[in-house]
Amino acid sequence: MNVLRGVGVPESNILMLLNYKARTLLCKPVRLKEIVEEVKGMGIDSSTTKFLAAVIALTSMSKSTLEKKFDVYRRWGWSDQEIREAFQRYPSCVTASEGKIMAIMDFLVTKMGYHSNLVAKQPSIFSQSLEKRIVPRALFARELLSLGLVSNLTLSALFDTSEKVFVNRFVNIAPELLILYEEKKKSV
């Protein structure tokens, strides 16, 4: 806890960490200090909960596991800068398994035609379920685009909105689309 206090993590955030992810503090002190310094060096403000999310993410795996995940992102054309920016936006993007990262990238880039660098700007996608959220919504969005009912859909609008907001925003454009959306959800 002193390591976190030493870089300006507020007591309220330390208490939150103790309540929800106390295991993070079981990391060897030298390793924890390295991780804290690495996260601070990335420019993530130590007074934010995002700082703790980054520390939690990095303490949850070995350096070699983290590097393997970075290699997966690199295989999809991400630069080290894009990986760093994705981590800064959403630290938990490194906690997804290599298989999940590959599956999501394969679907979005290969099957749906999104550019890999666009996905890098929306790393929260890797916390979503491929089968329950990404595939049904992406296929439904493709239908909306082909019918000319929408002209442009951002990844955050598609995947980071709650089910209620998504249905209100996109499905209710035309009531008959609710059936189409339900079919896409079941077909996965």
Side-chain angles (χ1 to χ4, degrees):
M1 291 190 301
N2 287 336
V3 170
L4 297 173
R5 285 185 187 113
V7 295
V9 175
E11 285 297 317
S12 59
N13 289 1
I14 293 172
L15 289 173
M16 184 177 61
L17 178 66
L18 283 170
N19 283 329
Y20 297 107
K21 291 284 187 177
R23 181 176 157 194
T24 303
L25 298 175
L26 296 177
C27 181
K28 292 180 182 178
V30 172
R31 176 75 177 127
L32 182 60
K33 188 167 177 55
E34 284 175 8
I35 288 170
V36 165
E37 291 303 321
E38 185 177 348
V39 172
K40 192 149 177 76
M42 290 181 171
I44 299 175
D45 182 356
S46 62
S47 68
T48 65
T49 55
K50 188 180 283 190
F51 185 87
L52 287 184
V55 170
I56 291 166
L58 294 182
T59 57
S60 72
M61 67 193 76
S62 67
K63 288 180 182 181
S64 63
T65 299
L66 180 64
E67 193 55 41
K68 287 177 187 173
K69 292 179 184 194
F70 287 169
D71 286 341
V72 173
Y73 288 126
R74 286 182 192 110
R75 276 185 258 160
W76 284 99
W78 291 21
S79 68
D80 287 346
Q81 181 64 29
E82 287 171 315
I83 294 168
R84 180 186 173 116
E85 288 171 3
F87 182 77
Q88 288 171 325
R89 278 188 198 96
Y90 193 77
S92 295
C93 69
V94 299
T95 62
S97 71
E98 294 168 55
K100 182 174 184 177
I101 295 167
M102 286 296 291
I104 289 173
M105 291 299 290
D106 182 56
F107 177 74
L108 290 174
V109 176
T110 308
K111 293 183 176 67
M112 295 303 298
Y114 286 102
H115 195 277
S116 176
N117 302 80
L118 183 63
V119 180
K121 296 193 183 319
Q122 197 61 44
S124 59
I125 286 173
F126 298 102
S127 68
Q128 307 294 334
S129 168
L130 180 63
E131 297 81 18
K132 293 179 183 174
R133 179 169 288 203
I134 296 172
V135 171
R137 289 186 179 193
L139 294 175
F140 181 73
R142 186 164 56 189
E143 291 290 327
L144 289 178
L145 289 165
S146 71
L147 294 171
L149 296 172
V150 293
S151 59
N152 189 16
L153 295 172
T154 65
L155 292 178
S156 64
L158 284 177
F159 305 121
D160 283 343
T161 56
S162 69
E163 185 71 8
K164 182 178 180 179
V165 169
F166 181 82
V167 168
N168 285 337
R169 188 180 293 165
F170 299 112
V171 179
N172 290 339
I173 292 172
E176 64 274 11
L177 294 178
L178 182 57
I179 296 166
L180 176 65
Y181 179 59
E182 292 299 328
E183 286 173 7
K184 298 294 182 199
K185 284 172 53 175
K186 290 178 185 171
S187 69
V188 179

